[in-house]
Amino acid sequence: MPEIRSPRLAVLIDADNAPAKIADRLFEEIAKIGDASVRRIYGDFADERLKKWAEVLPRHAIIPQQQFAYVTGKNATDIALVIDAMDLLHSGRFDGFCLVSSDSDFTRLALRIREQGSDVFGFGGKKTAESFRKACREFFFTETLLPPAPAKVSTAKQTTPTPLDAEAATPIILDAMMRMPNEDGWVALSGVGSELASRWPDFTCKAYGFRNLSKLARKISVFEVDKANRHIRHKPTPAKAN
């Protein structure tokens, strides 16, 4: 039986129109679609604004395509990205393209790639024009790829500190759960605690008025903890009545 391979993808990132802090979750999302065989990013990395991108390139094996801004107001970055996209398209080696940008100028590129029979997956901000979003087979908002910000606990001295709302801890706990293996949606509560301590050292259940994670999780409406306090899961969505 022939081996089924993952779709081969070309990931092209417009550094001028995509924040570096989405990088980790961006490639997690792309991995669900296929294999990111080509990973290129375009921009003038001599510009201080792109310093954050330069720091994350090695972590994800992204190849920078340096485009110096020789003339103010001229976008050499977009042109370079389009040229590479067309070269890769006509090589016939790729099943799909991931275009990471909020720039609607890439609408025609997305349409041209799809005319050739390849899929296009767009990644951009909510401000992205509808034309570009609709030109892609599927479009992902980069706001959903931002890392969750840990809740900040006030350092001001208070006689009786006011606990934070338990529900505010939902995105942090959920993110930790998604990084762990599960069985029918259940994950080990102790593992979630270790993941929280590793990724968010400032996170503490006491800030929400609870002594431990199981008590905090039980207070949050979307989580379910088993009777033994060993496992946690996101509550299943109730089936809609006919």
Side-chain angles (χ1 to χ4, degrees), residues 95-113:
D95 302 298
F97 288 73
C98 296
L99 302 181
V100 186
S101 178
S102 299
D103 192 342
S104 61
D105 288 346
F106 292 118
T107 299
R108 186 67 186 92
L109 173 63
L111 290 171
R112 180 66 184 85
I113 292 173

Side-chain angles (χ1 to χ4, degrees), residues 25 48 59 69 72 87 112 137 225:
R25 288 193 167 185
E48 186 67 21
R59 187 159 74 240
T72 303
D87 285 345
R112 180 66 184 85
R137 172 183 169 181
V225 179

